[in-house]
Every structure is written in C-alpha cells, then in structure tokens.
Amino acid sequence: MLSTLMGRNQYLLRIPTFREGISLLAGRPLRWVPQLLGFILVIWYFGPIIRGGPPDDFIYELPPPIHHPHLPPLYKPPTASANDWKLRSHQVREAFIHSYKGYRDHAFPADELAPMSGKIHNNFNGWGVTVYDALDTMWIMGLSEYFDEAVKFIGEADYTTKPKQYAPFFETIIRHLGGLLSAYALSKDPILLQQADKMGAMLLPAFNTDSGLPAYAISTRTNATRGGWTGNTLWAEALSNQLEYKYLAHITGKPEYFEKAERCMQLMYEANVTDGIFPTQWNTKTGAPSNNKFSVGAFADSAHEYLLKQWLMTSRSETKIKDLYLNVSKSIIENLLYVTPSREMLYVTDADMLKPHPRKSEELPSTIKSGSTPTPSSVPSGTFEHLSCFLPGLLALGAQTLDLPASEKEIHAWAAEGLAYTCWLTYADTKTGLGPDVVSMKMFTKNEDGLWLPRVEKWKQQGRSGRPPGLREPGAATGKASRDYTIYKRSYLLRPEALESFYIMWRTTGDPVWRERGWTIFQAIEKYAKTEIGYASLVDVDKSSEKAPVKDEMPSYFLAETLKYLYLLFTDEELIPLDKWVLNTEAHPIPIFEWTDTEKKLFNIS
Ligand SMILES: *[C@@H]1O[C@H](CO)[C@@H](O)[C@H](O)[C@H]1NC(C)=O
Ligand SMILES: *[C@@H]1O[C@H](CO)[C@@H](O)[C@H](O)[C@H]1NC(C)=O
C-alpha cells in the first residue's frame, strides 16, 4: 500500500536529511512539492492507526437503519420551504420561552404553574418538576442562560421527602431522573450526574418488595413504600425504569442499579405469559399477572416502549428483550387493532382477554368456564385513548430498526401509518383542531368483523388493489354524525403523543405531510391554549366559541415532550439522531451505548 502510494520516489520513504533537503530546495524546488503533499496525506491518513485506538470522541456506530417501503400519502399538502420551517421551529422556541418564563416568574420552585391564575401546583413532591422536565429542551433549543440557572438550582436539591410524604416512583423516574440523565448526556455537566446518582439511590428501595416489582411510591426519608389504589404494580410501572437505571449503571458503574431494574425484566421472561399478552396489572408480592386486561393505554403504555428502546439503547445486544417486543407487538396487532364501520379508521383499543393464562380457573371469566366454544377470544372496549397515540411512533421505529421479514415489516409500517392518521383525524375532526383525551369508537355488530389484520389478509389475497384497509385516509368529518366515534373525555391536556408519532413518522418515512399536520396542531395550540403567562389545558376540544374554556393547568410534560417534539419536527437538521439516542417515555433523550466487557462481568449480563 505504502509503496504504491509513494510511487517511484522511493527515497521519500526515509525522511531526507537537512542537507539533502537544502540541496533539493536549492536544486529543483518544485519537483518534490507533490511528493511532500503525498507524504503529509499519508501521515494524516495512517496517523490514527499508528497512534492506536479510536479517537477520544468516538461514538458507537450502529448498523444503518433498514429502509422499507412506505406508501405515498393520498393527500399531499403544499410543502413549506426550508425557510418556513426555520421560522416555524423558531415559533416553537418562542412558545417554550413563553411557558418557561411564566413558570419561572410565577411558580418557581414549585412543581407546576397554574397558567390562568398564576398560582402553583405541587403535585410531584414539590421538587420543581417543571425545571427537571424542561432542562434538556432548554439545551436542545440553545437556551443556555435558563439551563445554567436551572443546573444551579438542581445542584442544591436534597430529595428527602417531607414526613408522611411519598414520591410516586414511576413519575419521579421518568420525569426527574430521566430529565437529569438526559441533560447530563447532552451537557456532560458533572453536577447533573452527581444528582442523578443521588436521586437514583434514594428511589432504589422502591424495589424492595417481595417480588422485586417497584412499589407505587416511596418515602425517601424512611424508605417506607406505599401501594397504589389497585394494590398491584401496573405493567407500565414495572417496565418504565430500565432505560434510566441501566444508563445510570453504565455511567456510575454501580451494579445495584442494573440488578434492580433487570429483576423486573427477569420476572417478565419467567412469567409464562401466553401469546405475548402481558396484562396491565401484576401482583407486587408474587410478581405474577393479576388481571386479564390487555392494553396499550394508560396502565401499560410505556412498558411497550421500554421493550424496544432497551434493546436499542444497549446497541441491540440484549436479544431477549427484542424477542419480547416482537411477541407483544404481534399480539397487539392481532388482538387490539380494529377499524370502524363507516370511515374505516384504524385504532388500537384495550380488551378483556378470555384465553386463559396459567392461573386458577375460578378467576377466569364465566364465558370461559361455562361455554364450550372459547370464541371470541377477547372482548374489546372500543375505547381509543390519546395516550395510545405513542404506538404508531413505536411501531414505525420498530419497522425501521428490526430485521423483520418483508411481510411483517410492512404490517408494522402500515399499522403505524394508519394509527398515526387516526390520531390526526381526532384532531382534524374537532372545532378547535385539538384532539380529545379519549374517544369511544363505533363498533361492528359482531366485534370480530372489525379486526384489522384479517381485513389486510383478505385485501392481499384479492390482489392488493388500492391502499390497504385502514390506510385510505377518509379526510376530516363534516359533522358529529359522520365521525364514527363519540367523544368520551372532551379535554385536551396539552399531551404530546400524537406529535411524538408524527415526528417519528416523518423521520422514518421522510414524508413531510407529518410536519404539516404538526404545524396545524401547533397553530391550534397557539390559538386556544395560550394564556398571558403560559399554556393551559382545554376543557372541551369541541366547543364552538372562538375561545374554548381552559383548565388552570400546565403539565410539565408540555415543556419536556410536546414542545420538544414540535421543535424537532420543524427543525431540518436531526438534532437528536435516532440511531444515536432513544427518547424515554417523557421524551428525555438517552444515548445509545455498548456494555463493556467489565460491565458484562460486573452486572452479570449474558
Ligand atoms: C434507605 O436505603 C438506603 C439504601 O438503599 C440506605 O443507604 C439508607 O440508610 C436507608 N435509609 C433509612 C432511613 O433506612
Ligand atoms: C414458567 O414455566 C417454567 C417451565 O415450565 C417453570 O419452571 C416456571 O416455574 C414457570 N414460572 C412461573 C412464574 O410460573
């Protein structure tokens, strides 16, 4: 290699002596200039290899994402110019400044701002949750003065709960700890690591239950724990701490963080749950499933996310988790995806599963015990929650990153697209252009007739003409009667899930229609939710008056998630590349890393 690069001028393989150099210069000065340049090039190119080891700022590279075919949308709005997007992202930044400034001026250091009255809410231990949740958004938006001020406040925090007070484990992990870890990963400020370690250690005794599943809440003063209203651990509570604790284990080297979080995973591997139907409630004492409900809504949602994202976070090395995700997502697609009778809107609901788990027969629903025919296998509720609108984004991320056979990949990608479109319709259909918290979908007379997957199979058999069922984009409804659903909870709580999925859809398909839809939603937020000092949740998204009534609440996730996803959606540059980061369920980015051999030994990772 070297000799071909050096060509005929073998003498340059040794460095010329000073005298030779002088004589060369004095003789034919221009003749050796190309050779000198070549020499510099070779040194530059091979230097790192000669020095040995990767450069200090080496970032783990994943295999490139696998691209898969997506259908072009039926309707393409005119796409804004690059400059329009720049202005739009700037407007989101202004919206963030407006809401954080309102919080800072009127509510700091309480948890949340009441954006109408200027009063405060201390609904999460009173540790200033808005600061923790907003921290990494400040960094991403380049608001360094707010960021530095926030880090100073955080550096002085103690995290000891007041007497008789309990910190809710799940919320504190995803909001406070997630915020600290992500801001640390972005800024590398050691204060944030120190505080994350401190908080992580203080919350850890929540796992000291008989099963190892976390308790609902913990007093960091006494280490006493408390159960939630169900007396059980929700599936979302059991599986929404692994991204945080595993990353914390990685940056502190402390095995206990890994072990406690992994214990919950272990219970899932050993639970003998049939067909990937992991129910919403788990017995905190025994660690066994304790109900028959299968859902991607409130009690389960982020557990689904943490399966795929754990696998991605540790560089696709823990295949057991991937298999679990594949199992569960298959089960969702088969059991929980339905279409409505008239508009053929694809939606995800929850269901009472009638297939028996390995459990005591007297606990089984009567339909199983008495009837000889075990069909139908489930009873769907028809409820579609805004919270479930994270699912299209997750399925799209899975379709992009998993090495699936083509036929499965397209099913995941289609489910993602159809569901994201339905989320969009629930916004587009209302008078304010904002989506309701829960809707009840109209169902077929025989529930099974609405199942999505058999319809797709039939469409395939009939020659795949037109677009698949559930992806035919019916357009916004002209009136309430033609909606194919009724609104069950009328509020819009400034929630992020639909925008989160639009962001992932845009990044994985490249289709700008998702950005345009996001822009339409942002304009509705500006019009209806903005107050003098912040942004407020809406009471009724379908109120015809010019200014819909609002609730005196500005949840911290509005700053952590809703505005972050909007900002990422409108920014051309991929600020948080999806092959380098995973976003926790509160939209806090955590870097993708590889376990070192030392860690594998220390944490007993197989
Ligand atoms: C709570 O548990 C931690 C260990 O996780 C321990 O260091 C601390 O002393 C305990 N506090 C009390 C009050 O028992
Ligand atoms: C699951 O099944 C395995 C093998 O049949 C058994 O050893 C294990 O005890 C079962 N686990 C539970 C939680 O029932």
Side-chain angles (χ1 to χ4, degrees):
M1 184 75 168
L2 259 179
S3 69
T4 47
L5 275 176
M6 300 303 287
R8 285 159 294 144
N9 304 288
Q10 296 297 325
Y11 60 86
L12 270 181
L13 277 174
R14 72 176 170 79
I15 295 164
T17 62
F18 183 70
R19 275 177 71 131
E20 281 167 347
I22 291 291
S23 76
L24 274 168
L25 261 178
R28 295 152 291 178
L30 290 182
R31 210 189 120 191
W32 62 279
V33 166
Q35 279 84 358
L36 181 65
L37 289 178
F39 185 72
I40 291 169
L41 195 71
V42 166
I43 292 297
W44 170 77
Y45 186 79
F46 289 99
I49 297 172
I50 296 162
R51 279 203 311 275
D56 296 341
D57 59 349
F58 177 74
I59 300 168
Y60 301 113
E61 289 286 348
L62 287 172
I66 306 134
H67 288 283
H68 51 91
H70 273 272
L71 301 161
L74 290 177
Y75 165 71
K76 267 205 186 298
T79 306
S81 70
N83 198 47
D84 289 336
W85 287 120
K86 209 169 171 180
L87 291 173
R88 289 173 181 187
S89 68
H90 191 72
Q91 272 181 260
V92 176
R93 192 171 178 271
E94 290 298 312
F96 179 88
I97 293 171
H98 179 69
S99 42
Y100 192 72
K101 188 174 182 304
Y103 163 78
R104 186 176 168 274
D105 293 351
H106 296 91
F108 176 87
D111 277 336
E112 289 176 350
L113 167 71
M116 312 283 300
S117 61
K119 293 186 176 147
I120 62 167
H121 295 298
N122 265 326
N123 40 353
F124 294 99
N125 332 326
W127 297 347
V129 69
T130 299
V131 181
Y132 288 78
D133 247 359
L135 202 54
D136 55 11
T137 314
M138 294 171 193
W139 181 271
I140 290 167
M141 292 181 174
L143 299 167
S144 52
E145 280 176 29
Y146 282 161
F147 185 86
D148 295 344
E149 183 189 80
V151 171
K152 195 159 175 290
F153 162 71
I154 285 170
E156 288 157 10
D158 175 20
Y159 312 133
T160 305
T161 43
K162 297 191 190 84
K164 294 192 181 154
Q165 189 194 34
Y166 287 79
F169 179 74
F170 166 83
E171 297 288 354
T172 312
I173 293 288
I174 65 167
R175 297 184 193 225
H176 299 83
L177 187 59
L180 285 172
L181 291 170
S182 148
Y184 167 70
L186 291 164
S187 72
K188 290 282 147 55
D189 190 320
I191 292 176
L192 296 170
L193 172 57
Q194 169 208 306
Q195 294 299 82
D197 190 15
K198 178 155 124 190
M199 183 185 286
M202 290 173 86
L203 295 173
L204 205 62
F207 289 106
N208 295 345
T209 59
D210 289 347
S211 65
L213 291 177
Y216 166 73
I218 170 158
S219 157
T220 53
R221 176 174 294 268
T222 63
N223 287 351
T225 60
R226 193 157 75 69
W229 61 271
T230 61
N232 289 316
T233 297
L234 301 178
W235 200 43
E237 291 172 329
L239 295 194
S240 307
N241 53 70
Q242 286 75 15
L243 292 178
E244 294 81 3
Y245 270 124
K246 287 186 176 183
Y247 178 57
L248 188 59
H250 178 61
I251 55 180
T252 61
K254 295 185 180 171
E256 62 267 29
Y257 292 143
F258 181 87
E259 285 159 7
K260 299 279 185 187
E262 184 64 5
R263 166 74 187 148
C264 303
M265 295 305 302
Q266 207 57 43
L267 284 169
M268 299 302 141
Y269 301 138
E270 291 165 4
N272 298 337
V273 166
T274 46
D275 302 330
I277 297 169
F278 284 79
T280 57
Q281 292 192 24
W282 293 70
N283 188 314
T284 317
K285 275 211 172 75
T286 64
S290 67
N291 75 355
N292 246 4
K293 280 212 188 306
F294 188 41
S295 170
V296 299
F299 294 176
D301 48 12
S302 44
H304 296 282
E305 266 183 277
Y306 277 42
L307 296 180
L308 182 68
K309 291 180 178 177
Q310 265 184 91
W311 176 67
L312 291 173
M313 183 180 76
T314 52
S315 295
R316 312 180 190 203
S317 59
E318 297 174 74
T319 37
K320 278 186 294 189
I321 312 180
K322 178 191 72 171
D323 294 341
L324 205 51
Y325 173 78
L326 286 175
N327 220 347
V328 179
S329 55
K330 182 167 179 285
S331 187
I332 294 171
I333 291 170
E334 284 173 4
N335 294 290
L336 301 183
L337 297 194
Y338 285 82
V339 295
T340 62
S342 315
R343 288 168 98 192
E344 208 189 43
M345 295 163 74
L346 175 60
Y347 66 96
V348 61
T349 191
D350 48 295
D352 278 317
M353 302 306 295
L354 306 182
K355 275 184 196 152
H357 292 295
R359 43 184 282 166
K360 288 197 251 52
S361 65
E362 60 270 24
E363 285 175 45
L364 290 174
S366 54
T367 33
I368 287 278
K369 277 189 289 183
S370 55
S372 53
T373 46
T375 54
S377 60
S378 68
V379 181
S381 71
T383 300
F384 178 55
E385 298 171 51
H386 189 287
L387 282 172
S388 303
C389 282
F390 79 94
L391 184 67
L394 183 69
L395 290 172
L397 189 62
Q400 172 99 341
T401 53
L402 292 158
D403 193 11
L404 292 172
S407 62
E408 279 176 48
K409 196 178 277 284
E410 79 184 357
I411 290 289
H412 284 241
W414 288 342
E417 193 175 329
L419 288 169
Y421 186 78
T422 300
C423 293
W424 160 242
L425 277 187
T426 65
Y427 281 68
D429 284 349
T430 67
K431 293 200 170 114
T432 56
L434 292 168
D437 207 41
V438 184
V439 302
S440 287
M441 292 292 187
K442 206 178 273 175
M443 298 172 85
F444 283 82
T445 325
K446 266 173 71 189
N447 288 337
E448 312 86 277
D449 291 348
L451 275 172
W452 178 65
L453 197 58
R455 287 170 170 262
V456 175
E457 295 304 331
K458 195 167 159 202
W459 168 84
K460 280 194 205 165
Q461 281 159 17
Q462 291 174 344
R464 295 182 167 238
S465 122
R467 290 164 65 87
L471 283 85
R472 293 169 187 157
E473 303 193 0
T478 47
K480 285 182 192 178
S482 58
R483 277 180 185 166
D484 241 11
Y485 61 83
T486 54
I487 298 182
Y488 181 68
K489 281 194 185 167
R490 316 189 68 80
S491 49
Y492 171 63
L493 304 177
L494 300 174
R495 285 199 197 278
E497 291 79 15
L499 294 163
E500 167 183 350
S501 282
F502 292 5
Y503 174 65
I504 307 292
M505 288 305 291
W506 174 55
R507 280 294 172 199
T508 54
T509 67
D511 191 338
V513 74
W514 299 109
R515 299 180 96 181
E516 294 291 350
R517 288 169 183 157
W519 171 242
T520 307
I521 293 173
F522 178 65
Q523 287 172 290
I525 291 174
E526 286 286 297
K527 183 170 175 189
Y528 292 104
K530 193 168 185 175
T531 71
E532 218 161 284
I533 56 169
Y535 289 80
S537 297
L538 264 68
V539 172
D540 186 348
V541 292
D542 222 11
K543 209 77 181 172
S544 55
S545 64
E546 192 47 31
K547 201 77 181 144
V550 292
K551 279 177 181 300
D552 203 5
E553 287 169 10
M554 183 174 79
S556 67
Y557 59 68
F558 179 66
L559 293 92
E561 302 187 72
T562 314
L563 292 175
K564 184 185 287 136
Y565 280 121
L566 279 166
Y567 189 71
L568 295 176
L569 184 61
F570 300 161
T571 308
D572 280 339
E573 195 192 336
E574 194 178 6
L575 297 173
I576 304 292
L578 291 176
D579 60 347
K580 303 265 191 298
W581 302 84
V582 290
L583 289 116
N584 90 340
T585 190
E586 191 78 359
H588 295 306
I590 298 179
I592 287 169
F593 63 87
E594 270 177 90
W595 294 121
T596 62
D597 289 339
T598 319
E599 285 169 335
K600 283 184 194 163
K601 266 196 215 113
L602 194 62
F603 304 162
N604 202 7
I605 301 171
S606 52

